Amino acid sequence: MSLVRRFLVAPSLVRLIRKERGGSRITEGYFAPQAGRVSYVRVDGQACHLVLVTAAPDGTSSEERTDVPRAHGDALMDVCSGKAAYDRTALALGGGREALIDRYVAPGEFDLVSVTFDGGDEAQGFPVPAWFGPEVTGDPSYDRHAVALQGVPHPGEIGLSNGALDAVLDLIEPRFGFGRYGAPKTNGGDGDGMMKALRRVAGGSAAAAPAAAEAVPVPAPPAEEPAPVEAQAAAGPEVGEAHAQPDAAREPAAESTPAIDSRIDDVIESLSQALGNPQPQPKGAARGEDDIAAEFERWTVRPRRTQQT
């Protein structure tokens, strides 16, 4: 046996809840009540049931359901005395309690929230949330079979307060990491951190080329005409070695620049493979610092870490 308490709710709050949590369309066809029993056909998606509800004098009720084929359910729906259709959204209230929010679309429009309890004591001890509107449990015109058979009641304007809105936001926002039960990240997100790391790699690789170029000594042009060959021979082998020194000093410079460019290209190619870039940078292509920075700016996926060998 169960007891259901029903409350009206502001349409704007229902719209917000359905926007975040969605809902499912339910159609019910009711037969005329007989001897305290209510029977109806319920169609929820592809599921179809024939339901029998028996009410007790203390206000509780029991429900029996039988699965029926969809074709049989459609045939029973055609001979029902009244029909009702609504979009239902289930929302957890905490403590194992769940609220069912129904937005009726036929035979008219209004919003209702219901909570089911196991008994009267449990129902009386329920703390009503701030976003619930006036209670209509004792009004028989808000029973589902009454709505289908007699039409939609007219609840009037439902008030909306700031406390009610905050209570709804506290219920629906924790799923996304916000609201009272969670705080948004303030470090700019994983994407910004990844971009900063890539910029540091790009800046360090691009800056290595100028630094290496500055370390290579460049000989100054000769201030005077070289001595004749006969004078160099007379002066001894030291003079010949001194004149040959600038050519030897330029050899490391010719080797360091391709090595640095190759290292930059290796970094770009390895990161391109890790990120799944369909157009990796070919080796040997000379690019400026601005081009390297632009290349890293286009990557918005976190690269996978590989073990250093």
Side-chain angles (χ1 to χ4, degrees), residues 28-34 38-40 80-84 107 141 143-152:
E28 296 175 345
Y30 285 83
F31 301 96
Q34 296 179 354
V38 176
S39 57
Y40 64 95
C80 287
S81 301
K83 302 176 185 178
S141 62
D143 292 341
R144 297 209 307 271
H145 71 273
V147 173
L149 297 173
Q150 302 173 10
V152 176

Side-chain angles (χ1 to χ4, degrees), residues 12-171:
S12 56
L13 295 180
V14 176
R15 182 180 177 182
L16 176 61
I17 293 172
R18 293 185 67 248
K19 179 179 180 297
E20 298 294 339
R21 298 299 176 89
S24 59
R25 174 63 57 87
I26 298 176
T27 303
E28 296 175 345
Y30 285 83
F31 301 96
Q34 296 179 354
R37 294 180 299 180
V38 176
S39 57
Y40 64 95
V41 180
R42 176 191 175 97
V43 177
D44 184 359
Q46 295 299 319
C48 186
H49 300 87
L50 180 61
V51 185
L52 177 63
V53 180
T54 304
D58 59 354
T60 60
S61 62
S62 60
E63 185 176 284
E64 298 178 10
R65 295 191 178 191
T66 302
D67 294 338
V68 297
R70 178 61 186 270
H72 294 182
D74 292 339
L76 291 173
M77 193 76 69
D78 292 338
V79 298
C80 287
S81 301
K83 302 176 185 178
Y86 52 88
D87 295 327
R88 168 163 288 183
T89 302
L91 185 64
L93 300 177
R97 191 74 59 196
E98 184 181 58
L100 299 178
I101 305 167
D102 299 331
R103 165 153 284 190
Y104 276 83
V105 295
E109 297 182 356
F110 76 101
D111 301 287
L112 197 67
V113 56
S114 59
V115 184
T116 303
F117 304 92
D118 294 333
D121 295 339
E122 184 177 315
Q124 292 298 326
F126 172 66
V128 180
W131 58 279
F132 281 21
E135 184 172 4
V136 293
T137 303
D139 191 343
S141 62
Y142 286 94
D143 292 341
R144 297 209 307 271
H145 71 273
V147 173
L149 297 173
Q150 302 173 10
V152 176
H154 301 283
E157 187 72 17
I158 310 294
L160 177 61
S161 64
N162 185 64
L165 180 58
D166 284 340
V168 170
L169 292 177
D170 287 342
L171 288 174

Side-chain angles (χ1 to χ4, degrees), residues 267-285:
V267 172
I268 294 174
E269 183 178 0
S270 61
L271 289 177
S272 175
Q273 294 175 358
L275 295 173
N277 190 356
Q279 296 180 352
Q281 177 67 25
K283 290 186 177 182

